Amino acid sequence: MARNIIIAIIIVAVICGLVYSWQSRQQLDYRDCLEETAFTVDGQAVQMKWLGFYVVYEEREVEKQAQIYHADNTADYWNLHVDGHFIRQDAKDTIMQMAIHDYIYYQKAQEEGMTLDASEQRSLENTISDFWMDLLDDQVDNLPVTDEYIVETMQRIALAEKYQAALAAKKDRSYTSYSWNGGYYKKWLAKQDVEINDKIWDRVSVGNITLKHDKVNYVNGQDEKDSDENENRKK
């Protein structure tokens, strides 16, 4: 009897382990986990929603390169393995690291009471306008967060950039050295208490959030006639 109970417990444990392993490999729809924790900074949880702007921005940038590489099937570019790195994974890492960088610097800007002056606000408004104009057609219809939230994020980024410029000037170093991939910033970040929620982020498929890869993603402003001609050529 005891032997049978032990065997049953082992079987149940194995089944639970297999189920957990299967679930952990299943992809998540980014829109379904906006309230989940994306990363923590000094124990402060930041939701996945914070990444919304960065998802839209980075998918647009990579997709533009993908159109150059293979306009008829941009998914080919996303799946490339170059110099030991997958394009898709690099894009995913870039999104997370940009988001962490801007969150930290925005918080520091807030602590120092920084605000945008009139000139900086006008520059931001132009940047916001250019951002919307430059989106790919599919992205306009598939934003993962609201328009308002994206604009709010861009306002926070502007403050983060202002803090970055002030920090670089204070340290007498280049502005880029404190960018998300800058040398001095990376050295500083390595000493900070920052943790990425890989259990969630690893299951999000970057490249398939605001984009569809069953057709070419045309840039806004292209004539409908041009799009039709391209579709006809593919046929």
Side-chain angles (χ1 to χ4, degrees):
M1 185 62 141
R3 180 171 171 272
N4 290 339
I5 291 175
I6 292 173
I7 292 174
I9 292 173
I10 292 173
I11 291 173
V12 170
V14 170
I15 291 173
C16 289
L18 291 173
V19 170
Y20 175 80
S21 177
W22 176 81
Q23 289 178 335
S24 66
R25 292 195 300 269
Q26 299 307 299
Q27 290 186 350
L28 288 174
D29 187 328
Y30 173 71
R31 294 166 180 79
D32 292 338
C33 55
L34 296 179
E35 306 304 315
E36 299 285 349
T37 296
F39 59 89
T40 60
V41 178
D42 295 330
Q44 180 67 43
V46 181
Q47 293 181 327
M48 291 283 288
K49 186 178 181 180
W50 176 273
L51 307 181
F53 164 81
Y54 304 93
V55 167
V56 178
Y57 173 84
E58 187 64 14
E59 286 196 338
R60 180 194 69 185
E61 294 304 295
V62 176
E63 186 71 3
K64 286 181 179 180
Q65 294 300 314
Q67 290 174 347
I68 295 172
Y69 178 79
H70 191 174
D72 289 339
N73 188 3
T74 55
D76 286 352
Y77 182 80
W78 280 92
N79 295 324
L80 275 181
H81 188 262
V82 180
D83 296 330
H85 300 276
F86 284 101
I87 297 294
R88 189 183 300 275
Q89 187 60 47
D90 279 350
K92 196 169 186 176
D93 293 342
T94 296
I95 289 169
M96 180 60 73
Q97 292 306 320
M98 286 194 300
I100 291 172
H101 170 277
D102 291 347
Y103 174 82
I104 292 173
Y105 279 14
Y106 170 68
Q107 295 300 320
K108 291 184 177 297
Q110 290 284 88
E111 291 171 7
E112 297 196 7
M114 286 185 171
T115 58
L116 300 180
D117 59 30
S119 176
E120 291 166 337
Q121 186 62 41
R122 285 194 298 271
S123 178
L124 171 60
E125 291 170 359
N126 290 333
T127 298
I128 292 172
S129 177
D130 291 342
F131 172 80
W132 292 122
M133 290 291 292
D134 206 28
L135 283 189
L136 303 174
D137 287 345
D138 278 346
Q139 293 187 294
V140 175
D141 299 325
N142 292 291
L143 293 176
V145 292
T146 65
D147 297 14
E148 292 78 11
Y149 190 79
I150 286 178
V151 171
E152 288 174 11
T153 302
M154 295 181 75
Q155 291 170 336
R156 297 185 185 109
I157 292 172
L159 279 175
E161 290 174 342
K162 183 167 184 173
Y163 175 83
Q164 181 179 332
L167 178 62
K170 180 180 178 181
K171 299 290 186 179
D172 194 25
R173 292 169 182 151
S174 69
Y175 176 83
T176 56
S177 67
Y178 288 100
S179 296
W180 69 270
N181 56 352
Y184 284 107
Y185 167 75
K186 284 185 174 181
K187 288 180 181 179
W188 175 84
L189 183 66
K191 301 175 183 177
Q192 307 309 305
D193 182 16
V194 177
E195 293 185 12
I196 298 171
N197 185 4
D198 292 324
K199 290 182 179 179
I200 296 294
W201 189 232
D202 283 351
R203 296 169 62 190
V204 174
S205 180
V206 168
N208 296 312
I209 300 173
T210 68
L211 300 173
K212 298 177 182 178
H213 285 113
D214 57 347
K215 66 180 182 65
V216 178
N217 293 293
Y218 297 105
V219 177
N220 281 343
Q222 183 180 30
D223 286 342
E224 185 176 343
K225 177 176 178 293
D226 293 336
S227 299
D228 292 341
E229 288 176 355
N230 283 327
E231 291 295 326
N232 290 332
R233 279 199 296 272
K234 286 196 293 181
K235 294 177 183 178

